[in-house]
Amino acid sequence: MRKILTALSAVLGLSATLPAMAQTSWKPGKPVEFVVASGPGGGTDTFARTVQSIIAKYDLMPTSVVVSNKGGGSGAEGFVYTKLAEKDPHKLLFGTSNAWLLPLVAKVAWKHTELTPVAAMALDEFALWVKADSPYETAADYLKALRAAPEGEFRMGGSQSKDTDQILTRLIEKAAGIRWTYVPFRSGGEAGVQLAGGHIHSNVNNPSESLGGWRGGQVRPLCVFAPQRLPASAPIANGQSWGDIPTCAEQGIPLTEYRMPRTVFLPGNVPPGVQAFYADMLRKVSETPEWKEFVQRTSQTARFMDADALRAFMAEDEKTSRELFREEGWLVN
């Protein structure tokens, strides 16, 4: 009898471990779609395509990856598309804080709680950019001109409406006592093109979105919204590197820091084990030399957040953002 009970206990113990084993053994069985909640050429698009290339190089998935840009409606297109793909484990949504902030300011057909958080992989820095031949050599010069001009005469471009770029624009205005006419574009890449063409006076692109324009002599950064200067890098243009660009606080803009997470979500209610598989895969991506080089080259801050850490970040960011949105009259719920 004792042997029977011992054998039965062993079987029951083994069966109790089977669900956990099944959860960790899930793998995609067909090509995975990387849904980018932004237009081509922007920081989110570059983020997704960098992850795609690293996955391919290190064979981190048994299937291929297809990237699709769905940036309409300030990224709403991508979020709604992913929400409607409920239970589909073969779609990964690449976005930013617009996942939880956009539903606060626009009547959209999703809530971030209807998606499955996977990870955040980096924090994007922001810079104040002007055209390369702009007469303003410093941010202080630019602020002086803004204060002397009629309100709204200067145009600030950015990616999307009531999203991170416009939020930052409003924070600068509030801190410095100035006002731009904000012009939204589909992506930071497009905002960079418009600045290079002289159709706007400035933008607040992420470093990765305007790196090529700076290197090509079309645009240049005046300052970065970081608590200290960015790490030194190889020279990019005119002998200057990211470490040579002053902080915006140094230049008279009393706004010490503004950063945005690069986030990854799954549709809601995915099968067990899916979230764990992708989180583990993305962590492996974040540990490669290629990812570290990408983060350094684009002057982002490396910070991997798992699902729990991302949830905590979202809750805090949503709480603090509501205050600004209420002041601006943006809140819709």
Side-chain angles (χ1 to χ4, degrees), residues 168-186:
L168 176 54
T169 298
R170 293 294 179 250
L171 288 173
I172 301 168
E173 291 173 338
K174 184 178 177 181
I178 54 176
R179 195 75 177 181
W180 280 285
T181 295
Y182 181 79
V183 184
F185 299 99
R186 289 175 296 181

Side-chain angles (χ1 to χ4, degrees), residues 55-133:
I55 289 170
K57 179 174 182 177
Y58 289 94
D59 197 23
L60 298 179
M61 279 204 310
T63 60
S64 60
V65 171
V66 177
V67 178
S68 60
N69 293 90
K70 298 186 182 297
S74 298
E77 179 188 5
F79 290 107
V80 173
Y81 177 80
T82 305
K83 175 197 169 181
L84 294 177
E86 184 179 14
K87 300 181 181 179
D88 186 346
H90 294 94
K91 286 180 170 53
L92 273 182
L93 173 66
F94 286 73
T96 63
S97 52
N98 54 358
W100 57 91
L101 296 184
L102 193 54
L104 297 179
V105 298
K107 293 187 180 296
V108 294
W110 91 90
K111 297 178 181 178
H112 74 271
T113 52
E114 296 172 309
L115 304 171
T116 303
V118 178
M121 298 186 67
L123 294 173
D124 242 7
E125 308 290 352
F126 286 78
L128 178 61
W129 298 84
V130 294
K131 199 168 181 287
D133 60 1

Side-chain angles (χ1 to χ4, degrees), residues 146-162:
L146 276 160
R147 292 191 178 105
E151 184 174 305
E153 179 177 310
F154 282 78
R155 296 182 300 279
M156 171 72 87
S159 175
Q160 321 293 357
S161 297
K162 298 178 182 177

Side-chain angles (χ1 to χ4, degrees), residues 277-321:
F277 171 83
Y278 287 117
D280 180 63
M281 180 195 72
L282 293 174
R283 187 181 292 277
K284 290 175 181 175
V285 168
S286 74
E287 294 169 351
T288 64
E290 289 77 10
W291 177 259
K292 293 173 182 177
E293 186 278 330
F294 166 71
V295 169
Q296 181 181 34
R297 173 169 46 84
T298 56
S299 290
Q300 298 180 78
T301 298
R303 181 179 172 186
F304 188 91
M305 288 185 272
D306 62 16
D308 289 339
L310 179 53
R311 286 191 189 95
F313 184 98
M314 288 191 288
E316 182 63 26
D317 191 46
E318 182 177 357
K319 179 181 177 182
T320 56
S321 297

Side-chain angles (χ1 to χ4, degrees), residues 241-259:
S241 79
W242 291 116
D244 297 314
I245 308 306
T247 68
C248 293
E250 288 179 63
Q251 293 286 299
I253 300 177
L255 185 62
T256 304
E257 182 177 4
Y258 188 78
R259 289 168 168 170

